[in-house]
């Protein structure tokens, strides 16, 4: 079975067996994304790999209508229930979607996209490139992408079961550890605003938070 298909079944079991496993508090990445989106006058937001929605629910609470996707049905069901409980059901739409497939949204339909630890899942480098291309398509010009990924400085990089292409599996969770060159490549044609190193959790996981924006027409894409 394809590693991503195994991972879909794995995440489905994980969320079914550990409801709300990431807690209710938003991640630091979501807080940063919310500030970036507000500063840029964003309205509609897309979250990819939303899980049970700690970040989607928080962004909705900040006034952004949010579309949240994941390939795990139990995670999104928990998100829908929580949104209804918080009275935010009108502000959060969930869409079951596998990030290996094209995004089921029209060109330029979002002002902001966030993805906390989705691009570093069991996706090949080619799939990641295609996904970032799709994100660029559904973002309006001037829109912002905020994503985070575990990187090659993480303690689990090179450990556990190797699936090739910098993907290693530990305790059933497969992670694509990003080299810095991949971050720079994915920003080509965008303006790279920030690559911020941070840690999360007990391992700790070592991550980069990346902010990049789509140039408005006539503006030169630049990286910094
Ligand atoms: C590390 S968890 C992070 C969840 C959420 N962003 C958070 O921080 O609370 C990664 C998420 O990506 C989802 N995921 C992994 N591979 C995916 C794929 N190919 N398509 C869609 N979702 C995927 C998993 O189901 C899981 O919810």
């Amino acid at each position: 079975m394809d590693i991503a298909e195994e991972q879909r079944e794995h995440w489905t079991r994980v969320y079914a067996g550990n409801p709300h496993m990431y807690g209710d508090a938003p991640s630091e990445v979501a807080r940063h994304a919310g500030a970036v989106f507000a500063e840029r006058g964003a309205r509609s937001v897309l979250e990819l790999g939303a899980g049970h929605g700690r970040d989607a629910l928080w962004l909705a609470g900040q006034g952004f209508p949010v579309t949240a996707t994941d390939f795990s049905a139990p995670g999104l069901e928990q998100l829908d229930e929580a949104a209804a409980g918080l009275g935010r059901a009108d502000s959060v739409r969930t869409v079951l979607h596998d990030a290996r497939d094209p995004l089921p949204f029209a060109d330029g339909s979002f002002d902001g996209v966030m993805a906390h630890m989705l691009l570093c899942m069991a996706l090949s480098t080619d799939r990641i490139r295609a996904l970032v291309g799709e994100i660029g398509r559904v973002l309006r010009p001037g829109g912002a992408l905020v994503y985070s990924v575990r990187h090659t400085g993480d303690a689990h990089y090179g450990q556990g079961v190797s699936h090739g292409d910098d993907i290693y599996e530990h305790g059933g969770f497969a992670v694509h550890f990003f080299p810095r060159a991949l971050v720079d490549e994915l920003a080509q044609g965008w303006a790279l605003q920030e690559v911020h190193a941070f840690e999360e959790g007990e391992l700790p996981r070592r991550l980069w938070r990346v902010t990049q924006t789509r140039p408005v027409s006539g503006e030169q894409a630049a990286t910094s």
Side-chain angles (χ1 to χ4, degrees):
M1 194 194 292
D2 175 54
I3 174 72
E5 193 49 34
E6 281 176 12
Q7 287 293 297
R8 193 181 64 75
E9 293 185 3
H10 177 69
W11 278 104
T12 296
R13 279 193 303 272
V14 165
Y15 284 124
N18 307 273
H20 304 278
M21 61 183 273
Y22 288 108
D24 297 328
S27 67
E28 286 306 312
V29 173
R31 290 183 182 277
H32 173 77
V36 168
F37 297 157
E39 190 183 295
R40 302 181 73 85
R43 285 287 302 142
S44 58
V45 166
L46 171 65
E47 186 188 358
L48 299 169
H52 61 75
R54 59 175 170 159
D55 291 336
L57 291 167
W58 182 81
L59 287 166
Q62 300 302 298
F64 301 106
V66 180
T67 299
T69 71
D70 203 284
F71 69 176
S72 162
L76 294 183
E77 284 159 15
Q78 290 163 27
L79 201 173
D80 283 331
E81 276 169 30
L86 290 165
R88 292 183 198 151
D90 290 346
S91 322
V92 187
R93 171 174 63 135
T94 54
V95 178
L96 192 63
H97 173 261
D98 190 323
R100 292 173 294 168
D101 298 328
L103 292 173
F105 307 113
D107 296 2
S109 46
F110 296 99
D111 302 311
V113 176
M114 82 154 273
H116 183 27
M117 295 189 290
L118 181 266
L119 268 60
C120 61
M121 292 289 98
L123 300 166
S124 68
T125 301
D126 280 346
R127 296 263 194 212
I128 295 166
R129 289 186 184 117
L131 178 57
V132 172
E134 277 291 279
I135 293 170
R137 180 183 66 74
V138 303
L139 263 181
R140 67 162 172 76
L145 164 63
V146 177
Y147 73 87
S148 71
V149 287
R150 290 173 73 177
H151 59 69
T152 52
D154 190 286
H156 276 171
Y157 174 60
Q159 307 292 318
V161 181
S162 170
H163 292 278
D165 205 7
D166 281 335
I167 299 174
Y168 292 90
E169 184 181 335
H170 240 268
F173 293 95
V175 175
H176 188 141
F177 294 90
F178 268 46
R180 174 59 201 243
L182 183 54
V183 171
D184 292 333
E185 184 196 324
L186 296 173
Q188 283 174 22
W190 300 66
L192 182 58
Q193 307 290 351
E194 181 203 53
V195 180
H196 169 73
F198 71 105
E199 296 181 351
E200 190 181 86
E202 286 177 7
L203 182 61
R205 292 186 283 267
R206 295 211 170 88
L207 300 111
W208 287 318
R209 183 187 74 205
V210 180
T211 305
Q212 59 191 53
T213 52
R214 281 202 61 203
V216 290
S217 68
E219 192 181 74
Q220 190 81 21
T223 56
S224 59

